[in-house]
Amino acid sequence: MGFIDITLQLLRGFGTTFLLFALTLLLSLPLGLLFCFGSMSRFIPLRWLSRSVVYVIRGTPLLLQLFIVVYLPGILLDAPITKWSIFNGNVLAAYFFGALFAFVLNYSCYFSEIYRGGIESISAGQYEAGQVLGMTKRQIFFKVILLQVIKRILAPISNETVTLVKDTSLARSVTVYEMFFYANQILTTEALLWPLFYAGLFYLVFNALITWLFNKAEKKLSYFRA
Amino acid sequence: MAIYEIKGIKKSFGNTEVLRGIDFSMEKGETVAIIGSSGSGKTTLLRCINFLERPDSGKMYLNDELLFDAEDKKKLNENEIRSKRLHFGLVFQQFNLFPQYTVFENLCLSPKLLAKERPDYRSDKKNIIKNIEEKAKDLLSKVGLSAKSDSYPCTLSGGQQQRVAIARALVLNPDILCFDEPTSALDPELTNEVLNVLKSLAAEKITMIIVTHEMSFAKDVADRAVFMDSGVVVEQGDPKKMLTNPESERLRAFLNTVTL
Ligand SMILES: Nc1ncnc2c1ncn2[C@@H]1O[C@H](COP(=O)(O)OP(=O)(O)O)[C@@H](O)[C@H]1O
Ligand SMILES: [Mg+2]
C-alpha cells in the first residue's frame, strides 16, 4: 500500500470519526441542557434521577458504557442491536448508532455539569436586578444570564470538545470503522507503523482547528467582564 | 395622605425572626433615611418592599390601596408580582449592572421589553422606542455620564457604575425608589459623586427610601430618619433632632459606634 492509498483509507475512517464527533456534539450540547435543568429542578424526583444518571455516567469509563449500550440488548433481551429492524440488516449502521448513543449520553452528562457550574456561578444579584426592573424569568435568563454563562463555560466546553475528538477512537472497540480502526488494520495487514502516527496527525490538526475556533469565540466575548 | 404605608411586616428565615413587626409610612416626595447597625434587618425590609422576599405577615398600602396582604395566601403569579414590583425601584449595594451591555443598553433593556407588552406597541413602535431612548439619554446626563453612554460597565469606576444603576432604576419611573447602602461598596473618595446625585434627586422631590451609614448625609438630606434595631423601628422623626439628640438608649448607643 502506498502513501496515497493509505491517506485515502485513513480519510475514509476520518469521515466516520468526524460524523461521530459532529453528531455527538450536536446532540449532547442541547441534551446536556435538559440534564442540567433536571439536576437543578425543584421537583425532587426529577432532580434525584437526573443527578444519579450524571453521577453514574461520569463515574464509569466510556468504554464500559459503549459495551453496555452495544451488547447488553443482545445479552439481556435477546435482541442484539444488529438485528433491529430499523437498521435493515446494516450491521455497521447499528454499531454506529449504538456508539453514538453511548457518546451522546456520556457527553450530555459532562456538559450538563459544566452548564450547571456556569449557571450557579452567576451572582444572585444579576437575577434580582432583572426582577426589580420588571423582567420576566424568561427574559432574565435569555437576556441577562445566558451570555454570561456562555462566556464562563466556553473554556471548559472547549476542553471537553477536544477530549471528544480523541475519545472517538474508542468506538473502534464496538466495531465502528473510524480512523483509528483503519490505522490499526494497516498495522496488522501491512506491518506498517507510521500510519498510526499519521492518524495521530489528523487528530492533532483537527484539534488545532477546534481550539482556534473556540479561541475566536472567546475573543468575541472578551469585550465584557463577567 | 401617605403614598406608602406598611403595617406589621414580619419576616423570619428558619428560626431567626429578622423583621419583628415593622410599621412605617411615607409621603410623596419624601426622602426617608433608614439607619441601624448591621444585621438589624434593613436589607430584608427593602427586599420585602420590592417583592424579592415575601413577608410572613403584615400589609402594604400604596396610595391607600392594599398592595400586599400576607393573610392572602393565594400565590401571586409572575405578572402580578411584576406589576406590583414596578411601583418600586431598588438600587443595590453592589450595583448589579448587566456586564454584557453598554451603559445605554443597561438603561434601555427593561423599558424596551416592557414596552412590548403595551397594546399600542405595534402601531406606535418607533415613537415608543424614541421616547425610551431620549429618556435614557436625559437620565445619563443628569447623573453626569453622557460621555460613558457606549462604555461597558467593567470600564467604569464604582461610583460611575452606581450612578448608572441609579439612572437605570429611574428610567422606569418608580413611585418609590429604594437604595440599599448605595455607597458602602465604594472607595471613600467616590462616595460623594453618588451622594450628590442622591441630593439632586431629593431636591427634585423623588420619593426615596435610602438605607445608609452616611450619618451626615442622612442629617442634611433626608426629610425623615428611621432607626431600626433587631427587626423593629425603634425611633423615627426629624433626622437633625434624632441624630443630635436621640430619645432612645439604643439609638444613642448606635450613634456612639458611628462617626457623624
Ligand atoms: N436569606 C436569608 N436567609 C437566612 N438569614 C438571612 C437571610 N437574609 C438575611 N438573613 C439574616 O437576617 C438578618 C438581617 O439581615 P439584613 O436584613 O441583611 O440586615 P442589615 O441589612 O440591616 O444588615 C441577618 O442576621 C442575616 O443573617
Ligand atoms: Mg444590609
Side-chain angles (χ1 to χ4, degrees):
Chain A
M1 262 180 116
F3 180 73
I4 305 269
D5 288 330
I6 287 174
T7 304
L8 288 175
Q9 191 80 285
L10 288 184
L11 273 176
R12 213 169 101 201
F14 186 74
T16 306
T17 296
F18 181 78
L19 198 66
L20 183 60
F21 164 80
L23 287 177
T24 300
L25 201 60
L26 211 68
L27 294 171
S28 59
L29 281 172
L31 195 66
L33 201 58
L34 283 189
F35 272 115
C36 166
F37 287 150
S39 301
M40 293 170 66
S41 166
R42 255 178 291 178
F43 182 57
I44 309 265
L46 177 63
R47 187 169 74 207
W48 189 84
L49 180 74
S50 188
R51 288 193 181 188
S52 308
V53 171
V54 171
Y55 182 80
V56 170
I57 295 288
R58 294 209 326 155
T60 55
L62 175 56
L63 193 58
L64 175 65
Q65 293 158 20
L66 278 165
F67 283 141
I68 288 178
V69 170
V70 172
Y71 297 123
L72 215 60
I75 296 167
L76 232 52
L77 308 169
D78 208 21
I81 53 171
T82 47
K83 297 257 165 63
W84 291 6
S85 59
I86 43 163
F87 298 118
N88 224 341
N90 187 342
V91 175
L92 284 186
Y95 285 134
F96 181 85
F97 173 82
L100 179 64
F101 187 93
F103 269 86
V104 169
L105 185 65
N106 185 277
Y107 274 83
S108 299
C109 289
Y110 277 98
F111 287 144
S112 87
E113 285 299 280
I114 293 177
Y115 295 152
R116 189 156 73 93
I119 291 174
E120 285 175 350
S121 74
I122 305 293
S123 82
Q126 289 289 305
Y127 293 91
E128 290 173 353
Q131 283 175 306
V132 296
L133 290 168
M135 293 165 73
T136 63
K137 280 205 184 100
R138 264 187 100 79
Q139 289 169 343
I140 293 171
F141 184 77
F142 285 106
K143 303 274 179 186
V144 176
I145 305 299
L146 188 60
L147 195 62
Q148 297 184 49
V149 173
I150 290 175
K151 183 182 165 90
R152 288 187 189 191
I153 66 176
L154 224 42
I157 295 276
S158 165
N159 282 338
E160 225 34 71
T161 308
V162 165
T163 306
L164 171 60
V165 171
K166 296 177 286 180
D167 273 357
T168 52
S169 59
L170 290 174
R172 182 176 69 102
S173 56
V174 288
T175 335
V176 171
Y177 293 173
E178 46 71 60
M179 186 167 54
F180 212 73
F181 167 84
Y182 284 107
N184 194 51
Q185 196 183 46
I186 296 165
L187 173 72
T188 46
T189 57
E190 312 268 324
L192 288 177
L193 195 59
W194 64 265
L196 279 177
F197 296 98
Y198 191 23
L201 201 63
F202 272 79
Y203 290 108
L204 195 65
V205 170
F206 190 50
N207 271 331
L209 184 73
I210 287 171
T211 309
W212 179 76
L213 281 173
F214 271 101
N215 280 341
K216 256 184 99 104
E218 279 180 45
K219 279 235 173 68
K220 236 194 151 110
L221 290 181
S222 67
Y223 69 90
F224 72 91
R225 197 158 56 214
Chain B
M1 183 189 90
I3 181 178
Y4 184 59
E5 181 167 17
I6 58 189
K7 282 185 181 162
I9 293 291
K10 290 186 182 171
K11 177 73 187 173
S12 301
F13 295 108
N15 288 330
T16 37
E17 198 175 23
V18 175
L19 299 179
R20 299 186 297 152
I22 300 278
D23 297 301
F24 155 87
S25 79
M26 66 189 297
E27 308 289 323
K28 194 171 165 56
E30 220 180 3
T31 296
V32 173
I34 298 183
I35 56 175
S37 55
S38 157
S40 55
K42 306 178 300 293
T43 296
T44 307
L45 177 62
L46 287 193
R47 292 173 60 84
C48 286
I49 292 174
N50 281 275
F51 292 85
L52 290 175
E53 304 284 356
R54 190 188 189 283
D56 303 323
S57 61
K59 293 183 172 62
M60 303 179 186
Y61 300 86
L62 188 75
N63 293 318
D64 282 338
E65 272 175 44
L66 186 64
L67 187 70
F68 171 82
D69 183 357
E71 297 303 306
D72 188 359
K73 291 295 181 212
K74 185 177 75 75
K75 202 165 177 289
L76 296 171
N77 68 35
E78 185 178 45
N79 283 335
E80 288 167 328
I81 295 182
R82 281 171 62 225
S83 75
K84 287 173 192 290
R85 232 180 227 149
L86 281 170
H87 291 292
F88 306 90
L90 178 58
V91 173
F92 301 86
Q93 189 176 340
Q94 299 293 343
F95 334 129
N96 293 334
L97 295 179
F98 303 136
Q100 72 268 47
Y101 294 118
T102 64
V103 164
F104 187 67
E105 289 165 341
N106 261 278
L107 265 65
C108 293
L109 178 67
S110 123
K112 281 182 179 172
L113 289 171
L114 285 164
K116 287 186 182 162
E117 295 172 34
R118 287 170 54 160
D120 59 345
Y121 182 70
R122 276 162 160 255
S123 57
D124 202 19
K125 187 173 167 181
K126 265 203 177 134
N127 247 324
I128 293 175
I129 299 285
K130 204 182 90 195
N131 286 340
I132 291 172
E133 292 184 343
E134 268 171 17
K135 178 126 202 247
K137 273 186 202 134
D138 288 348
L139 283 166
L140 276 186
S141 85
K142 190 191 252 175
V143 298
L145 288 172
S146 296
K148 297 288 181 186
S149 181
D150 295 326
S151 304
Y152 287 94
C154 62
T155 65
L156 304 183
S157 73
Q160 290 171 330
Q161 291 192 48
Q162 192 59 299
R163 279 143 69 198
V164 174
I166 294 170
R168 182 176 71 171
L170 283 168
V171 198
L172 294 174
N173 272 331
D175 295 316
I176 299 172
L177 186 49
C178 306
F179 298 80
D180 191 6
E181 300 192 28
T183 58
S184 291
L186 301 178
D187 294 333
E189 70 270 21
L190 298 178
T191 56
N192 271 336
E193 62 184 65
V194 171
L195 294 181
N196 286 337
V197 169
L198 296 183
K199 262 181 215 163
S200 72
L201 296 181
E204 278 178 54
K205 295 289 171 207
I206 304 272
T207 313
M208 296 189 284
I209 302 175
I210 307 176
V211 170
T212 184
H213 286 302
E214 302 283 334
M215 291 306 143
S216 58
F217 173 80
K219 203 159 78 183
D220 299 338
V221 179
D223 300 301
R224 200 150 52 85
V226 172
F227 171 60
M228 276 177 70
D229 191 39
S230 314
V232 292
V233 173
V234 176
E235 193 174 332
Q236 56 177 311
D238 176 15
K240 292 182 187 64
K241 256 191 227 149
M242 251 174 82
L243 296 180
T244 45
N245 215 346
E247 278 171 21
S248 63
E249 190 49 50
R250 279 199 273 180
L251 178 54
R252 196 168 303 136
F254 170 70
L255 290 176
N256 280 334
T257 67
V258 295
T259 44
L260 277 187

